[in-house]
């Protein structure tokens, strides 16, 4: 068996081979020549603590360390308040490994603070609104959204969400999470009191002028039937679009055409503007073509190969000439230059709508303008950009800047556009509805006959293909090309989104994002690099689309005045609406009459019936990130109550929010950000205008399978946390229990993506076995009770002082690791201490003393005193990660009725445990030990030694630079035989060659300038039948030590 040598840092990893030695287990082996009466006189370990066990299966122990512990610490802890704010998981489906990692990491941190005597506030929460739940309900009922009344959908969605919360709660409990899971100490975003707090924050943002309504292009998900914020997008780098090169006909009658352009095109029958787009379905909404006035443009002639007399005239950017010539099939023949002009010479000219030839009354369609824009670049396309402001943010911005379109909401409907009719402003063309389909209004552009091929067709599917077919038929299509590029997808449905002009509610972030960035200066980030990610997300946003066209959610309580087509959302209306909702509940917004919500200032003497005719309630719901993002507000009460607000001794004191938040890296664009923005955006107290709702943000990566692949149903590589705990039907699906899963979470570098699988779990199980085995040996040696016969430090031997020195290092390193959220540091140090310092060293050299010495002899008492302290500290160190094991150890020592191990504060070990001299001295002896082990292994391989106890070691000091090593060997002469695992050690200044034993293995070693000659040889005395050391004289029944003990 291999054993790691016990050297200090630089020498720690030299590996030696252990010779056989007695009593590595707690079972005393019986031999024919060893009468049982001698075995009966030994003090063998006795414990009720099993080597293999899952203590979490004991309901009493499990409750003691979870719910009972949380309630106890909240009522009795005297330390400062520590607030860990739980980011709410979505209430949909069973837990996955990301959930398990997340909750375990949080629990480790909370338990560490409880062990320090802090008062921990931790309220598990759930995110309960939004599309996935709504869709799941509709799927289960087998209906479409328009087949049920909204109130029915809400009822079913709430039932579903509450059921999922209950299911997930039981699974979280199985992880050993310390929390009070009662309704009052958990939260759900569907709770009425939660929704009211959320609406109060929304009202504060309205009163600060941060909320506004606008009809403009936004990212819209047809699969979700709702607008999306940037934070709800993921980008698919492998998306393929069918891009097209199309030609728009220049209008030769343009009244504002430049002289240069008119001269270059004079006499040309048909001049075309060459345009490239990846979204051909948006061409029906074309309102302009943009050029860059600073770029040069070519006018070229392209001959038709079939009719040589026929030619086409094209205009495109000079810088795109070469790239366009390389597009196979774009031009039937090589373009011949006719002239060149500046982009500014194109501005002011007009062109004919691309589908004008399909329209019944072509003359009724006005020509469209060529406009200047710096967003046209020479990097791609043709240098002429098709502008559809209803479907492009840049198009919208440039046309609004030029005064060509308005940003006001459409007069045709006071409601956001998610219905099946199109949303059209007088000067903003849009022929796509909330389902992502063409509407009947497209006939205004393509004519009635062509419209029949488009109406109710998905623009990303058949509708887009029909547009390409129409372009081909009218001769406007020059080339279709597959184009792979980065494209936004709905992060919930994993389907592509579109850009669509709808009326939405926005939060203005330009006015608060500098304050938000400033607030982050006082926030600690783990890992530190994650700060850049959150800051970059905030800097890149100027607004937040907060409205969603869904049924299941918190309402945006806007009133719509039908006669004026105006929306009312201000302090006056919200004050009245909130008073109603506080009395009747948030659900009353959906169920009550609109007249109940019209404020007195708007009633104009009308009766309720009249009000119901001229007012309408808004049906938009809030973005779920706004829901969860306001969760910080529920913590305010903690700081108002003097009984809970004690922060004495805290380095960073707070007046609101949380000390720590921990979530996955995706929350930089989600919950971390929405918390910050809502806190800053709703702040009315100047002291909170630049204060983040958290002090520390911790980020973890994704959990991958053992091969480093993302888990998915299609790959069949999903690892379920419940299967790890309870076992499964597969060959490798062993039941490990929660502590093994928790140990895995504490050993991975969670700041980046990490893997899990059978091999890693088996390694964790082996680590757990070794920790349990070390704990079991100590419990057996102590007799399952605390040791009462302590000894003074002056009475301790070198090995004892060395172990306490290493114990102090473990204690210090573990506390530092917990403080820095470096849990692998804790587990690595604990593992090394348990496996090497204890099992391979201290247990090994003291088994003879523990088993064979007098029960109350000094040698035995000092070892037990050390082991008693070791077990206390080890238990404190492992408790936050392995609470069930810690409780099992504590219960074994103190009985089943003892309070939780966490009720005993983890106090730092005193500085007097630090003994650098003991470490230096022991390092020297351990170097010698390593060499002795090598000689014993050689003797074993040669067959002359079976047990190392049948050997002696002779040591000859041949030369010495100083007396340090000689003095050390002299002081520890009685310790050396236990250290080397032999029956005798002799020290001399004579050569070991002066004697001639039956066999001998020799080697020299230099230790700090002292040359030592080592010789392993047969033991000089005989085997003692009681202790099995070769220390008995020939005519004596027992060795003298054993004889004295037995007689006593």
């Amino acid at each position: 068996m291999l054993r790691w040598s016990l050297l200090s840092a630089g020498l720690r990893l030299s590996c030696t081979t252990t010779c056989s030695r007695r009593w590595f287990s707690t079972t005393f082996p019986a031999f024919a020549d060893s009468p049982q009466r001698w075995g009966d006189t030994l003090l063998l370990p006795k414990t009720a603590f099993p080597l293999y066990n899952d203590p979490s299966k004991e309901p009493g122990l499990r409750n003691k360390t979870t719910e009972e512990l949380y309630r106890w610490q909240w009522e009795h802890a005297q330390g400062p308040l520590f607030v860990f704010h739980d980011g709410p998981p979505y209430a949909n489906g069973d837990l996955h490994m990301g959930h398990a990692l997340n909750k375990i990491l949080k629990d480790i941190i909370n338990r560490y603070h409880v062990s320090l005597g802090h008062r921990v506030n931790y309220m598990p929460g759930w995110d309960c609104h939004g599309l996935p739940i709504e869709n799941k309900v509709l799927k289960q009922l087998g209906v479409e959204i328009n087949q049920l009344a909204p109130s029915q959908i809400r009822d079913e969605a709430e039932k579903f969400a509450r059921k999922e919360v209950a299911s997930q709660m039981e699974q979280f409990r199985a992880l050993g999470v310390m929390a009070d899971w009662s309704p009052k100490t958990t939260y759900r975003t569907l709770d009425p009191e939660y929704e009211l707090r959320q609406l109060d924050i929304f009202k504060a943002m309205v009163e600060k002028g941060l909320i506004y309504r606008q009809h403009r292009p936004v990212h819209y998900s047809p699969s979700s039937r709702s607008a999306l914020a940037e934070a709800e997008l993921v980008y698919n780098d492998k998306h393929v679009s069918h891009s097209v090169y199309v030609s728009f006909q220049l209008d030769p009658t343009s009244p504002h055409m430049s002289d240069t352009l008119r001269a270059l095109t004079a006499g040309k029958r048909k001049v075309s503007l060459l345009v490239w787009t990846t979204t051909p379905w948006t061409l029906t909404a074309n309102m302009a073509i943009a050029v860059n006035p600073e770029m040069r443009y070519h006018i070229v002639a392209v001959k038709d190969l079939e009719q040589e007399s026929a030619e086409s005239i094209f205009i495109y950017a000079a810088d795109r000439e070469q790239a366009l010539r390389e597009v196979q099939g774009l031009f039937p023949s090589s373009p011949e230059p006719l002239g060149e002009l500046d982009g500014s010479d194109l501005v002011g000219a007009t062109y004919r709508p691309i589908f004008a030839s399909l329209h019944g009354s072509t003359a009724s369609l006005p020509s469209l303008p060529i406009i200047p824009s710096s967003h046209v670049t020479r990097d791609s396309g043709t240098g002429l950009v098709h502008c559809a402001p209803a479907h492009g943010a840049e198009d919208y911005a440039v046309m609004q800047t030029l005064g060509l379109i308005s940003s006001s909401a459409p007069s045709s409907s006071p409601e956001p556009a998610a219905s099946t009719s199109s949303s059209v402003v007088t000067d903003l063309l849009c022929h796509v509805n909330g389902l992502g389909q063409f509407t009947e209004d497209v006939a205004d552009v393509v004519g009635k006959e062509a419209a029949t091929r488009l109406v109710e067709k998905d623009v990303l599917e058949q509708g887009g293909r029909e547009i390409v077919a129409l372009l081909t038929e009218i001769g406007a299509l020059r080339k279709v090309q597959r184009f792979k590029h980065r494209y936004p997808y709905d992060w919930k449905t994993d389907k592509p989104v579109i850009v669509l002009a709808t009326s939405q509610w926005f939060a203005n972030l330009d006015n608060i994002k500098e304050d938000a960035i400033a607030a982050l200066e006082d926030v600690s980030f783990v890992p530190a690099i994650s700060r850049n990610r959150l800051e970059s997300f905030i800097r890149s946003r100027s607004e937040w689309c907060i409205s969603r066209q869904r049924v299941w959610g918190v309402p945006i309580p806007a009133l719509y005045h039908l006669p004026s087509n105006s929306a009312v959302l201000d302090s006056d209306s919200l004050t009245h609406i909130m008073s109603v909702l506080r009395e009747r509940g948030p659900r009353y917004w959906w169920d009550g009459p609109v007249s109940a919500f019209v404020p007195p200032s708007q009633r104009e003497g009308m009766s309720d019936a009249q009000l119901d005719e001229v007012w309408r309630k808004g049906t938009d719901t809030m973005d779920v990130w706004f829901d969860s993002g306001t969760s910080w507000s529920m913590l305010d009460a903690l700081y108002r109550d003097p009984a809970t607000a004690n922060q004495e001794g805290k380095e960073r004191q707070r007046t609101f929010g949380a000390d720590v938040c921990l979530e996955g890296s995706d929350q930089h664009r989600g919950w971390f950000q929405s918390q910050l923005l809502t806190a800053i955006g709703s702040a009315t107290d100047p002291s909170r205008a630049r204060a983040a709702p958290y002090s520390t943000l911790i980020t973890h990566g994704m959990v991958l399978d053992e091969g480093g692949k993302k888990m998915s149903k299609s790959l069949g590589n999903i690892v379920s946390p419940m299967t790890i705990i309870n076992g499964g039907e597969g060959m490798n699906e062993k039941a490990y229990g929660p502590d093994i899963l928790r140990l895995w979470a504490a050993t991975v570098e969670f700041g980046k993506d990490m893997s899990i699988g059978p091999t890693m779990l088996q390694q964790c199980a082996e680590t757990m076995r070794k920790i349990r085995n070390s704990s079991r040996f100590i419990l057996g040696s102590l007799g399952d009770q605390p040791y009462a016969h302590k000894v003074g430090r002056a009475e301790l031997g070198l090995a004892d002082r060395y172990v306490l020195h290493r114990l102090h290092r473990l204690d210090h390193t573990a506390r530092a690791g917990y403080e820095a959220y470096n849990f692998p540091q804790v587990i690595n140090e604990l593992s090394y201490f348990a496996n090497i310092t204890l099992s391979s060293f201290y247990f090994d050299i003291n088994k003879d003393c523990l088993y064979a010495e007098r029960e109350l002899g000094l040698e035995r008492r000092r070892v037990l005193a050390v082991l008693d302290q070791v077990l206390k500290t080890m238990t404190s160190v492992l408790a936050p990660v392995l609470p069930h094991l810690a409780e099992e150890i504590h219960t074994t020592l103190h009985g089943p009725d003892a309070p939780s191990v966490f009720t005993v504060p983890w106090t730092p070990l005193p500085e007097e445990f630090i003994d650098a001299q003991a470490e230096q001295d022991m390092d020297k002896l351990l170097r010698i030990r390593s060499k002795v082990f090598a000689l014993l292994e050689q003797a074993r391989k040669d067959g002359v030694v079976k047990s190392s106890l049948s050997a002696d070691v002779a040591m000859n000091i041949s030369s010495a630079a100083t007396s340090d090593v000689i003095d050390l060997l002299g002081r520890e002469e009685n310790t050396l035989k236990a250290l080397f695992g032999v029956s005798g050690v002799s020290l001399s200044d004579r050569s070991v060659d002066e004697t001639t034993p039956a066999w001998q293995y020799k080697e020299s070693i230099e230790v700090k300038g002292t040359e030592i000659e080592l010789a392993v040889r047969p033991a000089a005395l005989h085997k003692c039948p009681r202790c099995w050391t070769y220390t008995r004289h020939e005519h004596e029944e027992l060795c003298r030590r054993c004889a004295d003990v037995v007689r006593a």
Side-chain angles (χ1 to χ4, degrees):
M1 164 170 113
L2 293 180
R3 179 190 303 281
W4 295 105
S5 71
L6 275 162
L7 304 179
S8 57
L11 301 170
R12 179 178 293 180
L13 296 179
S14 62
C15 186
T16 62
T17 306
T18 302
C19 296
S20 61
R21 188 182 163 89
R22 184 184 179 202
W23 302 322
F24 280 83
S25 72
T26 57
T27 303
F28 179 76
F31 282 76
D33 62 346
S34 181
Q36 186 60 43
R37 61 191 181 89
W38 300 132
D40 293 343
T41 66
L42 295 172
L43 299 170
L44 297 179
K46 294 180 181 178
T47 179
F49 188 87
L51 180 56
Y52 297 101
N53 190 35
D54 179 5
S56 69
K57 292 182 178 179
E58 298 292 332
L61 185 146
R62 184 177 64 245
N63 291 336
K64 178 191 292 186
T65 200
T66 51
E67 295 189 58
E68 290 177 12
L69 173 60
Y70 184 87
R71 288 192 286 267
W72 179 91
Q73 64 87 30
W74 186 248
E75 294 170 4
H76 297 93
Q78 300 299 310
L81 176 68
F82 175 77
V83 181
F84 199 125
H85 187 31
D86 187 40
Y90 199 67
N92 182 19
D94 290 330
L95 302 190
H96 53 66
M97 279 306 308
H99 289 122
L101 173 74
N102 179 275
K103 276 294 193 288
I104 290 170
L105 292 176
K106 292 174 180 176
D107 193 56
I108 291 172
I109 296 168
N110 283 336
R111 287 180 181 276
Y112 169 66
H113 282 274
V114 169
S115 73
L116 298 183
H118 298 171
R119 191 178 202 185
V120 172
N121 177 271
Y122 177 68
M123 294 181 63
W126 282 269
D127 196 352
C128 300
H129 292 130
L131 176 74
I133 289 177
E134 193 172 314
N135 282 349
K136 186 67 74 75
V137 165
L138 294 173
K139 184 177 180 180
Q140 288 182 352
L141 296 175
V143 297
E144 293 295 325
I145 190 169
N146 56 3
Q147 293 179 287
L148 284 181
S151 61
Q152 291 177 286
I153 296 175
R154 292 187 194 102
D155 288 341
E156 293 300 323
E158 181 173 352
K159 291 177 187 176
F160 178 86
R162 292 191 179 279
K163 178 183 175 183
E164 293 298 292
V165 166
S167 172
Q168 289 188 3
M169 184 184 294
E170 288 307 306
Q171 294 174 65
F172 283 136
R173 279 175 159 152
L175 300 174
V177 175
M178 178 194 67
D180 184 347
W181 299 97
S182 61
K184 289 186 178 180
T185 47
T186 55
Y187 75 94
R188 290 141 295 276
T189 59
L190 58 72
D191 293 338
E193 60 273 18
Y194 186 100
E195 294 183 344
L196 288 172
R197 280 195 303 270
Q198 177 179 334
L199 289 167
D200 281 335
I201 290 172
F202 178 75
K203 177 175 180 285
M205 294 178 70
V206 169
E207 290 171 343
K208 291 179 70 173
L210 296 176
I211 306 298
Y212 61 92
R213 187 167 180 260
Q214 197 172 54
H215 185 79
R216 53 161 299 168
V218 295
H219 284 109
Y220 190 91
S221 172
S223 56
S224 294
R225 299 182 187 179
S226 181
L228 300 179
E230 180 67 31
E232 295 172 292
L233 302 177
V234 294
Y235 285 87
N236 183 346
D237 292 321
K238 298 180 179 179
H239 180 84
V240 175
S241 295
H242 286 83
S243 65
V244 295
Y245 290 89
V246 294
S247 55
F248 289 79
Q249 301 307 310
L250 187 70
D251 185 352
T253 66
S254 301
H256 302 295
M257 183 184 294
S258 69
D259 293 340
T260 303
L261 179 60
R262 195 177 299 278
L264 288 171
T265 58
K268 308 299 182 187
R269 188 175 61 84
K270 190 166 67 173
V271 179
S272 299
L273 304 170
L274 188 63
V275 169
W276 175 74
T277 178
T278 60
T279 53
W281 59 270
T282 64
L283 289 169
T284 65
N286 173 263
M287 296 184 69
I289 288 177
V291 297
N292 191 321
E294 305 298 323
M295 288 168 53
R296 295 287 288 172
Y297 287 79
H298 283 171
I299 301 179
V300 301
V302 177
K303 293 188 180 298
D304 190 327
L305 294 180
E306 296 181 359
Q307 301 179 31
E308 291 188 7
S309 60
E311 67 176 11
S312 299
I313 309 300
F314 294 103
I315 299 176
Y316 52 74
D319 289 329
R320 298 301 299 162
E321 174 86 35
Q322 186 59 40
L324 293 173
R325 286 176 179 269
E326 294 173 358
V327 177
Q328 188 175 3
L330 177 60
F331 301 122
S333 63
S334 181
E336 298 177 2
L338 298 178
E340 188 172 329
L341 72 167
D342 289 327
S344 57
D345 291 322
L346 291 171
V347 174
T350 58
Y351 63 93
R352 299 299 295 150
I354 196 168
F355 295 107
S357 62
L358 294 173
H359 205 275
S361 53
T362 303
S364 67
L365 296 178
S367 294
L368 303 171
I370 298 176
I371 62 175
S373 177
S374 60
H375 86 283
V376 180
T377 70
R378 52 179 55 87
D379 298 329
S380 62
T382 66
L384 295 96
V385 173
H386 135 67
C387 293
H391 303 297
E394 289 179 314
D395 301 349
Y396 177 87
V398 67
M399 293 192 71
Q400 186 184 42
T401 300
L402 294 172
L404 299 176
I405 57 173
S406 167
S407 62
S408 61
S411 59
S412 59
S413 171
E415 292 296 303
S419 63
T420 54
S421 63
S422 71
S423 178
V424 182
V425 185
T426 341
D427 57 351
L428 189 64
L429 290 180
C430 182
H431 311 112
V432 180
N433 62 22
L435 301 176
Q437 299 173 343
F438 282 112
T439 66
E440 294 179 354
D441 293 343
V442 74
D444 296 339
V445 173
V446 301
K448 292 183 179 180
E449 184 177 345
T452 60
R453 297 164 58 178
L454 299 176
V455 175
E456 296 186 2
K457 299 293 192 305
D458 292 341
V459 297
L460 293 177
E461 299 293 339
Q462 185 60 34
R465 289 191 285 271
E466 288 293 341
I467 288 290
V468 173
L470 289 175
L471 292 168
T472 303
E473 292 169 14
I474 63 178
L477 182 69
R478 313 308 304 182
K479 173 72 177 177
V480 179
Q481 194 175 45
R482 285 171 58 86
F483 179 65
K484 186 166 75 172
H485 61 130
R486 196 166 185 258
Y487 192 85
Y489 275 55
D490 183 333
W491 80 304
K492 289 283 190 184
T493 64
D494 198 30
K495 298 289 181 63
V497 304
I498 60 176
V499 175
L500 183 66
T502 63
S503 293
Q504 301 292 342
W505 291 98
F506 295 87
N508 183 346
L509 303 184
D510 280 333
N511 291 355
I512 62 172
K513 66 180 177 182
E514 289 307 318
D515 287 338
I517 295 295
L520 292 180
E521 293 178 5
D522 295 326
V523 176
S524 298
F525 286 78
V526 181
I529 196 172
S530 60
R531 173 188 298 274
N532 299 336
R533 182 174 168 84
L534 180 55
E535 287 186 353
S536 66
F537 275 127
I538 293 172
R539 289 187 192 280
S540 65
R541 296 182 74 180
S542 59
E543 62 188 12
W544 175 6
C545 180
I546 61 171
S547 53
R548 298 292 180 272
Q549 289 69 57
R550 305 308 304 172
V551 170
W552 176 232
V554 177
I556 293 180
L559 296 170
Y560 294 93
H561 188 241
L562 300 182
S564 63
N565 285 331
S566 61
V568 175
L569 183 69
D570 55 27
S571 179
D572 178 56
S573 69
L574 287 175
T575 298
H576 176 72
I577 290 169
M578 289 302 297
S579 68
V580 175
L581 297 183
R582 261 187 266 278
E583 179 183 350
R584 307 294 295 267
R587 181 72 180 263
Y588 192 64
W589 175 262
W590 306 117
D591 300 336
V594 67
S595 56
F597 299 102
V598 178
S601 61
Q602 299 280 353
R603 296 180 70 92
E604 299 178 342
M606 287 187 279
S607 67
D608 287 350
Q610 291 173 317
L611 291 170
D612 289 338
E613 290 295 321
V614 298
W615 289 91
R616 182 181 300 170
K617 293 178 295 180
T619 58
D620 282 348
T621 57
M622 290 192 198
D623 177 12
V624 292
W625 288 122
F626 199 100
D627 289 12
S628 60
T630 60
S631 58
W632 56 266
S633 62
M634 69 182 183
L635 303 174
D636 282 0
L638 291 172
Y639 301 92
R640 291 194 293 266
D641 184 355
T644 62
N646 171 36
Q647 298 191 68
E648 186 177 348
K650 282 178 66 172
E651 182 179 345
R652 300 167 70 178
Q653 299 190 1
R654 297 199 59 84
T655 58
F656 80 109
D659 291 294
V660 175
C661 294
L662 180 153
E663 298 300 332
S665 56
D666 57 335
Q667 296 308 317
H668 290 117
R669 57 194 276 159
W671 189 61
F672 288 162
Q673 190 178 158
S674 62
Q675 275 200 96
L676 179 65
L677 296 175
T678 55
I680 300 294
S682 63
T684 54
D685 186 335
S687 65
R688 286 169 62 162
R690 289 193 166 195
Y694 34 64
S695 295
T696 299
L697 287 185
I698 306 173
T699 304
H700 64 76
M702 291 178 56
V703 183
L704 311 175
D705 72 5
E706 205 157 62
K709 295 179 180 178
K710 184 178 178 180
M711 295 185 195
S712 69
K713 290 181 180 179
S714 60
L715 293 176
N717 62 345
I718 292 178
V719 179
S720 162
M722 294 302 105
T723 300
I724 292 173
I725 293 173
N726 302 315
E729 298 177 357
M731 288 181 59
N732 293 323
E733 294 181 336
K734 177 182 175 182
Y736 285 103
D739 272 4
I740 299 294
L741 183 57
R742 294 174 66 96
L743 185 58
W744 166 82
T747 57
V748 296
E749 294 184 37
F750 66 77
K752 53 188 179 182
D753 292 349
M754 68 226 79
S755 297
I756 191 170
T759 301
M760 298 190 71
L761 289 170
Q762 190 55 46
Q763 290 170 349
C764 290
E766 181 62 14
T767 299
M768 170 70 96
R769 185 191 67 80
K770 291 177 178 178
I771 294 172
R772 281 192 69 93
N773 203 23
S774 294
S775 304
R776 181 171 181 254
F777 180 86
I778 298 176
L779 286 167
S781 299
L782 296 174
D784 286 350
Q785 57 186 351
Y787 193 62
H789 305 286
K790 303 300 173 68
V791 297
R793 183 169 179 79
E795 297 176 291
L796 297 177
L798 173 62
D800 309 318
R801 289 183 286 111
Y802 170 74
V803 167
L804 291 178
H805 174 80
R806 295 303 301 262
L807 184 67
H808 186 280
R809 179 180 299 173
L810 167 64
D811 183 80
H812 177 78
T813 302
R815 292 170 75 95
Y818 282 125
E819 290 287 346
Y821 313 107
N822 186 350
F823 307 136
Q825 174 179 301
V826 178
I827 299 305
N828 289 341
E829 194 69 24
L830 174 63
S831 258
Y832 183 86
F833 185 82
N835 300 341
I836 307 305
T837 306
L838 293 182
S839 184
S840 295
F841 170 63
Y842 198 63
F843 294 169
D844 198 24
I845 69 173
N846 283 305
K847 284 177 179 174
D848 179 76
C849 171
L850 289 170
Y851 300 166
E853 289 288 352
R854 290 194 309 263
E855 183 173 6
L856 295 179
L858 176 60
E859 295 86 351
R860 192 169 186 277
R861 282 193 295 115
R862 65 189 185 190
V863 173
L864 289 175
V866 169
L867 292 180
D868 183 73
Q869 182 60 63
V870 163
L871 188 61
K872 286 180 182 175
T873 301
M874 274 184 59
T875 305
S876 295
V877 168
L878 65 85
V881 176
L882 306 172
H884 302 100
L885 173 59
E887 297 288 7
E888 186 183 11
I889 293 170
H890 191 70
T891 298
T892 302
L893 273 176
H894 300 283
D897 296 329
S900 167
V901 65
F902 289 91
T903 63
V904 181
W906 178 8
T907 55
L909 291 180
E911 294 297 305
E912 66 183 33
F913 277 42
I914 299 175
D915 195 332
Q917 187 60 51
E919 182 173 44
Q920 293 173 19
D921 289 346
M922 190 55 69
D923 278 353
K924 296 169 188 173
L925 296 182
L926 291 173
R927 286 195 60 204
I928 300 172
R929 184 191 199 217
S930 179
K931 190 67 70 175
V932 170
F933 278 4
L935 293 174
L936 285 167
E937 178 62 15
Q938 188 177 346
R940 187 189 64 78
K941 287 181 178 178
D942 291 344
V944 296
V945 164
K946 290 185 178 179
S947 166
S948 61
L949 290 173
S950 65
D952 286 348
V953 172
M955 304 176 65
N956 168 246
I957 313 298
S958 58
S959 65
T962 67
S963 64
D964 292 352
V965 175
I966 297 174
D967 292 344
L968 172 62
L969 293 174
R971 287 196 309 271
E972 302 301 326
E973 183 173 1
N974 293 331
T975 304
L976 294 178
K977 67 177 184 178
L979 185 65
F980 298 159
V982 297
S983 289
V985 175
S986 61
L987 298 173
S988 75
D989 56 2
R990 304 187 310 276
S991 171
V992 295
D993 287 328
E994 293 180 7
T995 58
T996 55
W999 52 265
Q1000 184 168 257
Y1001 294 84
K1002 294 193 303 180
E1003 195 165 336
S1004 295
I1005 183 174
E1006 186 271 328
V1007 181
K1008 296 293 183 181
T1010 299
E1011 191 75 19
I1012 305 172
E1013 188 179 21
L1014 302 172
V1016 172
R1017 52 177 58 175
L1021 298 177
H1022 300 275
K1023 183 178 180 180
C1024 173
R1026 179 175 181 269
C1027 68
W1028 293 2
T1029 61
Y1030 285 68
T1031 54
R1032 179 180 64 84
H1033 290 272
E1034 184 175 2
H1035 299 296
E1036 295 178 351
E1037 186 176 16
L1038 299 174
C1039 70
R1040 292 174 183 176
R1041 187 273 308 268
C1042 286
D1044 290 343
V1045 172
V1046 171
R1047 278 196 300 270

